[in-house]
Every structure is written in structure tokens, then in C-alpha cells.
């Protein structure tokens, strides 16, 4: 991704991946790699904004205000003239987003919120205001981001992580926006999106708007594979090898199906269970209970139709069901060594399916 971002300010990267595959980890690694050469702007859009029905204009305005508040140490004091421009641009954007101008409060209560605080307090406050003049707000936010980057003397990279949590209908409206304002972003950008978009018939139209479309998949985790070694290094980095036997670590890697988040959940739950059991090291019994605990969540998420779909070959699953099962982690995507894609049932969910089959057979008997 870093190579694809380098050529020009118009570089755009679209990132997909199922839940738990490591998108946020990869973006954090990318931000670390870019930090020396670029001003990395990575606002918490999914934690502040209401992503249902959000627009590119709202995302950009929020990002500009976030950059002003959180990246000040990268540019403050470099140039008095640049700082004055930044202050003026931020103040103008804040005034445009406020229903009333700041006033001196003569009664007890919270102070008048800043523009960024208005986003945090009222996630939908700015939306109708921005909709009244999207072009004006876009230009103001772009100017503020350019001024901050110029003061920092670094080209900016905008990372919008969290958009994969958008409802599919909202994501479709956003990414198929006929105005396609992503081409007019003031800097390089990496943008995440819901995995379900990639299964839709119109996805080719979305791909054309990005320099690179990157899809993260689960690691191949056969012994001696790079994925297996990666999870082993993750085990060492967290000190888990001190309380797990090699056999249990190998079993946790197998059950993780190459999803780092699931692997860490298994280790964490097993270590906690061992503490509850009064043990200094994780024993097979504690590990088995931890596996059951991690598996329990699918018992509440899976619908009867999901169980039926999981029994099918992947080519027989409707795309919207495949997307849902990948989103909740019941299915796992892998790259084949020879190229191409393989979608398999999560080993933890496979245990539920086996139990369901056994119960059905027992009922027939």
C-alpha cells in the first residue's frame, strides 16, 4: 500500500477484509511506516460519526477538524504565518458548523462546544448544515488540511478506518456517489469499506475509482508456513509461550484459521480460565473450556438459514449470505498458494455444525 500511495496526491487505496483478519493492525503498521515521510491523518470516524447515511463531505470536514486538534504538535510553531492561516481556517469552519456563535456563559453548565466537540456530542448535528453547502464545506476542509500539511512540511495521508462497519445500503450510496468526490480529496487516502460491497454486481464501478483495491485474507497457517510463523512470533511477543505448551499453541493456531484476532481471543480466554482454575500453566481442560467460550457467540448469531448455508458448497451460497457469514467470522477467506480464493467454515463453527448433525442423527434414532 505504501508503494501505491507514493506516486501522487491523487493516489487512493480501498481496503477490504473480514472481521478479525487484521485490517486495523495493518493500517497501524502502515501509519508507522509512513510517519517519517508523511503527515498521517487517521480520525476515529467510526467512533464519533453516525455512519448510516454519512457523506464524503461530512467525513472530510470531521477529518479536518480532528487534524487541527490532534496533530498540532506536528506543525505548531513552525511558521507564525502558516499558523495564523490555520487558525483562521479552523475558526471559519467552526463558525459554519455552529448553530449559534460562541458567547460568554453567565450560568453554570458546560462551555460552548468547539466544532469537533459538536460532532462528538451530536453525531448528526453537522449533517444537515453540510448538506446545505457541500461544495463550500468541502473547499474549507480541504484548505485546512492543506494548510496543516504545509506547516508540517510533509505530504498528508488520510486513513479512514472503520467504514467497513457501515450498513450496506449506506456504503452503496457512499461509494457509488455520482459526484465521486474522492478524486478531489486534498491528499492521498486509504479507505476501508464493508466486505459485502465486493460481492455486489456494481463493485466494478467502485473499483475504477481507486488506484489499488487491496483485500486482506486470513493467513495460511499450515506448519512451516509464513502465517504459522507469524502467529508463533505473536505468541512470543505476548509471553504466552511461558504458560502454554507447544501442543496447545499449535492447536490454537489451527483453530484460529489464520485470523489473528481469533487466535488472540483463544489465548486470552485460555489464560484467564487457567487463572480461575488456580493453575500456573494452561492445561488441556482449561483450553477446552476457553474454546467453548469463544465458540458460544456464534450460537447467538447464527440463524437457521445460516446453518443451512454453512452446509452448502461456497458456490451455492447467495452472495448476501456469504457476506454476512464472513462478517461474523463463521466463514473464513484464504488465498490459495496457486492463486485464487478459498472460503472455508471457521473450525470453531464447524464444531457447532458437527454437534448439530449428531443431535439430528440422535433424534432420528
Amino acid at each position: 500500500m505504501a508503494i501505491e500511495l507514493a506516486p501522487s496526491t491523487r493516489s487512493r487505496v480501498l481496503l477490504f477484509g473480514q472481521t478479525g483478519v487484521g485490517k486495523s493492525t495493518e493500517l497501524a503498521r502502515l501509519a508507522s511506516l509512513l510517519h517519517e515521510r508523511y503527515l498521517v491523518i487517521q480520525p476515529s470516524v467510526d467512533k464519533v460519526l453516525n455512519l448510516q447515511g454519512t457523506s464524503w463531505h461530512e467525513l472530510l470536514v470531521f477529518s479536518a477538524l480532528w487534524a487541527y486538534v490532534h496533530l498540532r504538535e506536528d506543525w505548531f510553531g513552525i511558521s507564525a504565518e502558516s499558523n495564523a492561516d490555520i487558525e483562521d481556517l479552523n475558526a471559519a469552519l467552526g463558525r459554519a458548523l455552529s448553530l449559534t456563535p460562541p458567547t460568554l456563559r453567565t450560568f453554570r453548565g458546560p462551555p460552548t462546544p468547539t466544532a469537533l466537540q459538536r460532532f462528538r456530542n451530536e453525531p448528526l448535528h453537522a449533517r444537515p448544515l453540510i448538506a446545505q453547502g457541500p461544495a463550500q464545506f468541502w473547499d474549507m476542509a480541504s484548505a485546512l488540511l492543506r494548510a496543516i500539511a504545509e506547516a508540517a512540511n510533509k505530504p498528508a495521508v488520510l486513513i479512514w478506518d472503520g467504514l467497513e462497519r457501515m450498513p450496506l445500503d449506506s456504503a452503496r450510496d457512499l461509494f457509488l456517489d455520482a459526484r465521486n468526490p474522492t478524486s478531489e480529496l486534498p491528499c492521498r487516502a486509504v479507505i476501508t469499506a464493508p466486505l459485502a460491497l465486493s460481492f455486489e454486481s456494481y463493485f466494478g464501478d467502485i473499483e475504477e475509482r481507486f488506484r489499488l483495491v487491496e483485500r486482506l485474507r486470513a493467513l495460511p497457517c499450515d506448519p512451516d508456513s509464513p502465517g504459522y510463523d507469524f502467529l508463533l512470533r505473536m505468541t512470543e511477543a505476548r509471553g504466552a509461550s511461558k504458560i502454554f505448551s507447544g501442543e496447545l499453541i499449535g492447536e490454537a493456531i489451527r483453530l484460529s484459521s489464520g485470523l489473528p484476532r481469533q487466535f488472540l481471543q483463544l489465548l486470552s480466554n485460555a489464560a484467564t480460565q487457567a487463572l480461575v482454575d488456580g493453575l500456573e500453566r494452561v492445561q488441556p481442560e482449561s483450553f477446552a473450556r476457553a474454546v467453548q467460550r469463544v465458540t458460544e457467540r456464534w450460537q447467538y448469531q447464527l440463524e437457521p438459514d445460516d446453518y443451512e448455508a454453512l452446509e452448502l458448497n461456497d458456490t451455492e451460497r447467495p452472495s448476501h449470505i456469504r457476506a454476512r457469514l464472513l462478517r461474523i467470522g463463521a466463514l473464513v477467506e484464504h488465498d490459495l498458494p496457486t492463486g485464487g480464493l478459498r472460503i472455508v467454515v471457521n473450525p470453531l463453527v464447524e464444531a457447532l455444525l458437527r454437534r448439530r448433525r449428531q443431535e439430528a442423527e440422535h433424534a432420528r434414532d
Side-chain angles (χ1 to χ4, degrees), residues 42-56:
Q42 192 171 4
S44 304
V45 293
D46 59 318
K47 295 180 174 62
V48 177
L49 299 181
N50 184 327
L51 295 180
Q52 184 166 356
T54 193
S55 68
W56 296 115

Side-chain angles (χ1 to χ4, degrees), residues 26-36 40:
E26 178 65 16
L27 288 174
R29 187 182 72 84
L30 176 67
S32 178
L33 289 173
L34 297 177
H35 181 73
E36 291 298 323
V40 179

Side-chain angles (χ1 to χ4, degrees), residues 147-343:
I148 292 173
E150 182 180 347
N153 198 28
K154 292 180 180 179
V157 173
L158 184 59
I159 298 179
W160 278 333
D161 187 16
L163 296 187
E164 70 275 10
R165 297 182 176 88
M166 295 182 71
L168 181 58
D169 57 345
S170 296
R172 180 180 58 247
D173 293 342
L174 182 70
F175 284 90
L176 287 178
D177 187 334
R179 291 170 295 184
N180 188 21
T182 54
S183 63
E184 303 302 324
L185 285 170
C187 59
R188 298 162 176 82
V190 180
I191 303 170
T192 60
L195 184 63
L197 275 184
S198 66
F199 296 111
E200 297 296 323
S201 59
Y202 51 76
F203 181 61
D205 296 331
I206 296 174
E207 280 188 299
E208 292 177 356
R209 301 177 178 186
F210 291 86
R211 182 182 180 88
L212 172 70
V213 176
E214 184 77 15
R215 190 184 187 104
L216 296 184
R217 297 189 175 114
L219 301 165
C221 52
D222 299 324
D224 299 324
S225 69
Y228 194 96
D229 293 340
F230 173 80
L231 294 178
L232 279 181
R233 291 197 300 274
M234 187 180 291
T235 304
E236 293 291 338
R238 285 161 173 77
S241 57
K242 298 178 182 178
I243 59 172
F244 284 84
S245 66
E247 291 76 12
L248 287 181
I249 290 293
E251 180 65 2
I253 292 175
R254 184 187 72 80
L255 291 174
S256 75
S257 196
L259 295 173
R261 184 183 300 177
Q262 186 165 301
F263 177 64
L264 293 176
Q265 286 174 338
L266 288 168
L267 295 186
S268 176
N269 277 272
T272 300
Q273 186 62 53
L275 285 174
V276 171
D277 296 339
L279 303 171
E280 293 184 358
R281 288 179 59 84
V282 176
Q283 299 300 318
E285 296 79 10
S286 301
F287 183 78
R289 284 194 288 273
V291 170
Q292 180 59 36
R293 179 165 296 180
V294 175
T295 305
E296 281 177 356
R297 72 179 180 89
W298 284 290
Q299 293 176 306
Y300 302 103
Q301 290 181 307
L302 293 173
E303 303 288 345
D305 290 347
D306 294 330
Y307 283 105
E308 294 178 13
L310 286 166
E311 296 285 6
L312 300 174
N313 291 325
D314 186 62
T315 55
E316 300 173 315
R317 297 184 185 113
S319 61
H320 69 282
I321 293 178
R322 182 192 297 115
R324 164 180 155 73
L325 293 174
L326 284 166
R327 180 175 57 81
I328 66 175
L331 293 176
V332 183
E333 282 190 334
H334 291 277
D335 282 314
L336 291 172
T338 55
L341 168 67
R342 179 181 63 175
I343 297 180

Side-chain angles (χ1 to χ4, degrees), residues 121-138:
N121 290 341
E122 308 166 56
L124 295 176
H125 159 73
R127 187 166 295 174
L129 297 175
I130 293 173
Q132 293 176 32
Q136 298 95 306
F137 275 102
W138 185 274

Side-chain angles (χ1 to χ4, degrees), residues 57-202:
H57 301 80
E58 184 180 355
L59 289 165
L60 186 66
V61 170
F62 171 72
S63 300
L65 294 168
W66 182 93
Y68 170 81
V69 171
H70 292 276
L71 300 180
R72 195 175 286 195
E73 64 272 16
D74 286 303
W75 55 264
F76 187 78
I78 294 175
S79 164
E81 294 179 358
S82 295
N83 289 337
D85 291 341
I86 291 169
E87 296 291 347
D88 290 344
L89 288 165
N90 179 71
L93 194 54
R95 286 194 299 271
L97 287 169
S98 298
L99 291 175
T100 57
T103 58
L104 181 65
R105 301 181 66 90
T106 57
F107 53 89
R108 293 194 175 190
T112 301
T114 65
L116 184 60
Q117 288 167 341
R118 291 302 294 268
F119 273 100
R120 293 164 57 195
N121 290 341
E122 308 166 56
L124 295 176
H125 159 73
R127 187 166 295 174
L129 297 175
I130 293 173
Q132 293 176 32
Q136 298 95 306
F137 275 102
W138 185 274
D139 291 346
M140 292 172 69
S142 296
L144 178 54
L145 285 174
R146 290 191 186 98
I148 292 173
E150 182 180 347
N153 198 28
K154 292 180 180 179
V157 173
L158 184 59
I159 298 179
W160 278 333
D161 187 16
L163 296 187
E164 70 275 10
R165 297 182 176 88
M166 295 182 71
L168 181 58
D169 57 345
S170 296
R172 180 180 58 247
D173 293 342
L174 182 70
F175 284 90
L176 287 178
D177 187 334
R179 291 170 295 184
N180 188 21
T182 54
S183 63
E184 303 302 324
L185 285 170
C187 59
R188 298 162 176 82
V190 180
I191 303 170
T192 60
L195 184 63
L197 275 184
S198 66
F199 296 111
E200 297 296 323
S201 59
Y202 51 76

